[in-house]
Every structure is written in C-alpha cells, then in structure tokens.
Amino acid sequence: MPMSMNQEIFNFFTTLVERVSGISFQAGKEYLLENRLTELALTLGYKDLQQFYQKVKIGLTPTLLNQIIDTLTTNETYFFRDQHPFEAIKNHILPDLIQKREKEKQIKIWSAACSTGQEPYSLAMLILEHFSKYLSTYKFFIYATDISQSALKKAKEGVYNQIEVNRGLPVTFLVKYFKQEGSSWRIDERVKSLVKFDYLNLLETERKLKEKFDLILCRYVLIYFSKETKTKVFTSLWNTLNKGGYLILGATELPSFTPQDMEKKLLGKTVVYYKKES
Ligand SMILES: C[S@@+](CC[C@H](N)C(=O)[O-])C[C@H]1O[C@@H](n2cnc3c(N)ncnc32)[C@H](O)[C@@H]1O
C-alpha cells in the first residue's frame, strides 16, 4: 500500500464512513483518505493521523463524525452543471408539470445531494427567469439536502467567489441575481426564497422524508456508493417520486434496475426517468 497510514487505520475509517454515509473508498484511494484525514487531524490540533485515530477510536462524538464525513465527501459542483438537463427542465419537464399540477398549483422539486447550493439555486434562477408568470399562482418548492454540514452552511449563506460564479453561470444571471460584496457574490433573496436547505443522509431517505416530489435531481453521488448501497438509494429515490414525475441522475450514472412503472425518456440530450401515471 503506497502510504504511511497503516491498514488498520484505513480499514477503521473506510468502514466508519461507509456505514454512516454509504461512501465507499476502494483500494487505490488510500492516499486521498490519508491526505484529507491528516489535514483534518492537524487542523483539530492533533500531532498526526495516528493520534487522531486513537482519539476517534475511543470517543467518537457526533461533532467529530460530522467533521470526518465533511472531510471525506467530494463537494464538486457548479452552476447549471452539464447545462442540457436544465434545458430539458425548461423546455419539457416544467411545462409538463405545470400542466399536470393545474389543480394542486404546487410543484415540488428535490435536489438530493445539493452540495454547496449551485444546483438548487440554478433551478430557482431558471424558474425566476422562464416561469415567473406562474409564480403568483403556483408554489414552486425546491428542497435541497446534503450530508455535509459545511457544504450546507455555505449553501445557506449563498455567497460565492469569483471562480465559482465563473463556472457555468451566464453573466446575465450573475448581474441579475447576485450582488457583489468585495471579491464575493451574494445570491439574491428572490432566488433564496424558493429553496429550503436541510441535512439529509440519502441512506435514511425513506425513514426521514415524508414528502414526495415531482422532480428529483440526484446527480454525481451514486458514483461514490457500492452496488448494494446504490440499489438501496435508487429504490428510495424512486419511492419518493410522485406519479407523473421525473428523476434525473448524473450523465455517467444509471438506475440500479428498471422498476415496472419507469419509462426512460430522452429529452433533448438528457436522459430522464419518468414515473408512469398508471
Ligand atoms: C460531487 S457532489 C454533487 C453535487 C451536485 N449534485 C452536482 O451534481 O453538482 C456529491 C455530494 O453528495 C453528497 N453526499 C455523499 N454521500 C451522501 C449521503 N449519504 N447523503 C447525502 N448526501 C451525500 C456530498 O456531501 C456531496 O455534496
């Protein structure tokens, strides 16, 4: 093993993190785990990873566990990631849902594993930009969840640096929906007010989440799970989707199986999984 971390420490942390979050560190990821955990250990004032491990082994507090999960999640994201799913939402999915929910006048969207907020805020800006005429009659609710407390804190603040706003966000949207504060950009209250952020571990979806959604985005998170966890999480996503609703995964991700009521649709360049109504 090309590392100074011994097998016992590697096994301890990988088992802990997979049990809690589903994130599976395969052999070959030792250096990543070691680097991130060593950095956390030093930040928290421990001499090295060995000393941190001894502490965690005998007294793992909820705060420490959160810090370990935070450190080991990959929070890579950007505004309008992959672009074409947002085209599909604008051109096909929202027009269809608006029509279907004419009676309820409510459209519920879930950004599952929202990281630092760019995905749900992109959805909110898309609604403000293209569906504003429905805002007085329909309630658009965007629920955005993640397991990383630090990612959620940043998401709730809605403040992004220049590099982050340069990634995927059209300049017209930056001007219209952000306010500059020194070298950072704060997202507008109009955008924020459409999104509700919450802590949610995807392994606990069905136990914790009592609502169902018309559109679910769960992108670039299943890739971190084992086959078994992927199936479990995918099942709970499917069960959380309303009939007539849509599920969007990351471009490289596939459903674990094909439920009977699933129809795979190609909307523009985006593959979506539609839940049949009957
Ligand atoms: C690579 S980011 C993807 C963010 C966003 N969906 C996107 O596509 O840009 C993966 C996110 O999944 C979250 N995550 C990992 N395991 C999770 C779990 N068990 N429950 C909820 N979120 C989880 C991480 O904290 C991270 O923010």
Side-chain angles (χ1 to χ4, degrees), residues 21 74-77 81 113 115 146-147 200-202 219-220:
S21 71
T74 299
N75 302 122
E76 159 75 0
T77 186
R81 186 173 195 171
S115 187
D146 203 278
I147 198 174
L200 181 76
N201 182 346
L202 285 171
R219 304 193 305 148
Y220 303 107

Side-chain angles (χ1 to χ4, degrees), residues 20-23 69 73-78 81 111-116 118-119 145-148 151 200-203 217-221 223-225 233:
V20 175
S21 71
I23 299 168
I69 298 290
T73 50
T74 299
N75 302 122
E76 159 75 0
T77 186
Y78 51 90
R81 186 173 195 171
S111 167
C114 65
S115 187
T116 42
Q118 283 89 331
E119 181 176 276
T145 60
D146 203 278
I147 198 174
S148 163
L200 181 76
N201 182 346
L202 285 171
L203 303 191
L217 287 88
C218 186
R219 304 193 305 148
Y220 303 107
V221 57
I223 39 172
Y224 299 105
F225 298 156
V233 171

Side-chain angles (χ1 to χ4, degrees), residues 69-86:
I69 298 290
D70 268 7
T71 291
L72 296 180
T73 50
T74 299
N75 302 122
E76 159 75 0
T77 186
Y78 51 90
F79 289 103
F80 295 96
R81 186 173 195 171
D82 295 347
Q83 215 176 339
H84 59 85
F86 294 91

